[in-house]
Amino acid sequence: MARFTLPRDLYHGKGALEALKTFEGKKAMVCVGGGSMKKFGFLDKTVNYLKEAGMEVELFEGIEPDPSVDTVMKGAEAMLKFGPDWIVAIGGGSPIDAAKAMWIKYEYPDITFEDMCKVFGIPSLRRKARFCAISSTSGTATEVTAFSIITDYNKGIKYPIADFEITPDVAIVDPELAETMPKKLVAHTGMDAITHAVEAYVSTAHCSYTDPLALHAIKMIQNDLVDSYNGDMEKRAQMHDAQCLAGMAFSNALLGIVHSMAHKTGAAFADKGAHIIHGAANAMYLPKVIAFNAKNPEAAARYAEIADFMKLGGNTAEEKIKLLIAYLRKMNDDLNIPHCIKNYGADSYPADQGFVPEEVFLERLHDIAVNAIGDACTGSNPRQPSVEEMEKLLKCCYYDTEVDF
């Protein structure tokens, strides 16, 4: 038996934020990140709509990119003091992911972070509060997923929390919020979205309910991402829907080792001055993982189906897969994303020498590989790598060399 779970309600299209006026409750805690939602007026709108619905509202602000365990604990403590019956998270993936984890701790104050990270092991929520997610970026799709990514900075590791319990009750996908994204964020979130769709389509947990969502999302991203990056706001609105469809697919079909590797490399070199931004990591690793997974016949056939759906040409499965890899690499070029860790600059742009020195990468390689194998996303990858193979694959992602194993 399989399960397919989505938010009960999804409000989409321009002006969808006004759905907050219809919510019924007494208290709402609004969780938000840096300053963009406040700067562009969306935070004020959110608060005012909730007050119009008759609720007392409190803010938890300043959730950082790549939210930490400490932030989660502080937010849960604030919720315990305030006692909301609605948790409303607005912004990119970070505040929504953080708020999901806070929600668990709010409902179960004695739960540990380690217990929260047990895959599909969260106890029943909604005893105290319901959850609404409002996305401002077009990539993570956390507004419709059963996942949250939280970083333990003491260990330099990102941990996925995975459970259908944390699927939001309400998702609001309003393209007006996505219009505020800076260009670099459009690139990174867009490549995160196509990675979600591709990994969902070849995942061992894919099914007839997830496949159409994944394929349609891929087609939309092919049509819309680069133009959205270059300032076309109609395409930006299309991308906001496309990433949500990709999220619906992967939340139910799960992901693969592109995400395992991105989770375990993202904060692994923070002491060297920068993170490898999640969407950029996915963009760099996806072509390499396709080449690795394509040694599995079933995965190869499904990658070829994606290439056919994108009308990339080719006569054999091998030709189609090469064209798919080449297309994705060209997208990285069009979006000014580097092809490998070696050339990943501190500002996320291509550089002759990136911020991760070769000797540091090699020194940490084995531990990163072990952690990636243990990531929650590895189990649904179509080809299960050994630690040795994961090390070789990570090296290909560092040096941009061919995957021939």
Side-chain angles (χ1 to χ4, degrees):
M1 181 176 71
R3 178 175 174 177
F4 186 86
T5 300
L6 296 174
R8 186 190 185 285
D9 293 303
L10 192 155
Y11 297 95
H12 59 97
K14 289 197 172 184
L17 194 63
E18 290 193 37
L20 293 169
K21 295 178 183 179
T22 67
F23 283 22
E24 294 182 1
K26 295 179 180 178
K27 291 183 176 182
M29 176 162 277
V30 177
C31 301
V32 68
S36 63
M37 291 297 94
K38 182 180 285 186
K39 176 183 174 183
F40 294 105
F42 294 112
L43 182 58
D44 284 344
K45 282 185 178 181
T46 296
V47 170
N48 290 336
Y49 289 152
L50 289 167
K51 287 181 176 178
E52 195 173 327
M55 286 192 238
E56 182 184 347
V57 181
E58 186 169 296
L59 299 180
F60 185 85
E61 299 182 81
I63 297 170
E64 73 273 40
D66 303 301
S68 66
V69 177
D70 287 346
T71 296
V72 168
M73 298 306 165
K74 288 175 186 173
E77 188 177 337
M79 289 176 186
L80 284 164
K81 287 179 181 175
F82 180 60
D85 49 15
W86 273 103
I87 298 166
V88 177
I90 181 169
S94 295
I96 298 174
D97 279 4
K100 286 179 175 179
M102 292 170 191
W103 182 25
I104 301 168
K105 186 73 173 173
Y106 169 52
E107 300 234 358
Y108 294 93
D110 294 332
I111 198 169
T112 65
F113 182 67
E114 290 70 25
D115 286 337
M116 290 163 66
C117 293
K118 291 176 181 175
V119 179
F120 294 98
I122 302 295
S124 296
L125 299 179
R126 297 164 181 82
R127 303 181 315 160
K128 294 181 179 179
R130 286 178 288 171
F131 193 99
C132 171
I134 306 165
S135 56
S136 67
T137 61
S138 302
T140 69
T142 188
E143 73 274 5
V144 293
T145 75
F147 295 91
S148 164
I149 308 300
I150 305 298
T151 303
D152 185 332
Y153 285 93
N154 294 323
K155 296 179 180 178
I157 296 176
K158 293 184 177 183
Y159 289 96
I161 299 172
D163 198 291
F164 288 119
E165 284 297 320
I166 61 170
T167 305
D169 297 282
V170 178
I172 295 177
V173 185
D174 189 329
E176 290 182 338
L177 279 70
E179 291 178 4
T180 67
M181 283 193 294
K183 201 168 183 180
K184 184 167 72 171
L185 191 57
V186 173
H188 294 161
T189 56
M191 291 307 292
D192 192 17
I194 199 166
T195 304
H196 290 155
V198 171
E199 288 209 292
Y201 194 72
V202 301
S203 161
T204 57
H206 78 86
C207 67
S208 296
Y209 294 90
T210 60
D211 284 351
L213 293 166
L215 285 176
H216 191 60
I218 289 167
K219 189 67 174 177
M220 289 180 74
I221 296 166
Q222 179 187 18
N223 290 339
D224 300 327
L225 175 55
V226 174
D227 288 339
S228 171
Y229 174 75
N230 289 322
D232 185 327
M233 289 303 160
E234 285 189 19
K235 299 284 190 175
R236 185 78 53 89
Q238 292 290 325
M239 273 300 303
H240 211 43
D241 288 336
Q243 63 87 32
C244 190
L245 295 172
M248 294 178 188
F250 92 77
S251 186
N252 292 280
L254 308 179
L255 293 165
I257 58 172
V258 178
H259 273 76
S260 302
M261 293 157 65
H263 293 155
K264 291 344 185 202
T265 54
F269 309 103
D271 59 322
K272 296 301 169 185
H275 273 70
I276 301 177
I277 296 170
H278 180 71
N282 284 340
M284 294 189 294
Y285 306 162
L286 179 59
K288 303 303 182 189
V289 169
I290 290 174
F292 175 80
N293 283 342
K295 304 294 191 294
N296 173 291
E298 185 179 345
R302 292 185 73 78
Y303 286 130
E305 288 171 8
I306 290 172
D308 285 341
F309 198 74
M310 296 173 72
K311 296 183 168 53
L312 300 182
N315 296 312
T316 66
E318 184 178 2
E319 288 177 0
K320 292 172 184 179
I321 292 164
K322 284 182 178 177
L323 287 167
L324 175 60
I325 289 171
Y327 187 92
L328 292 168
R329 286 177 64 89
K330 185 179 184 302
M331 283 186 84
N332 286 351
D333 289 335
D334 291 342
L335 301 171
N336 206 18
I337 296 173
H339 290 294
C340 63
I341 300 170
K342 183 172 179 282
N343 298 128
Y344 184 93
D347 59 357
S348 85
Y349 293 119
D352 289 337
Q353 179 56 57
F355 79 90
V356 182
E358 182 179 23
E359 64 274 13
V360 173
F361 171 78
L362 294 173
E363 178 185 303
R364 301 180 188 181
L365 174 62
H366 177 74
D367 287 346
I368 293 170
V370 170
N371 289 330
I373 293 288
D375 189 89
C377 294
T378 298
S380 47
N381 194 69
R383 183 182 173 196
Q384 289 298 301
S386 65
V387 173
E388 181 185 6
E389 287 170 331
M390 180 59 78
E391 287 184 11
K392 289 169 72 175
L393 189 54
L394 284 161
K395 281 185 177 178
C396 291
C397 293
Y398 184 85
Y399 297 108
D400 192 21
T401 49
E402 292 296 317
V403 177
D404 57 2
F405 54 93

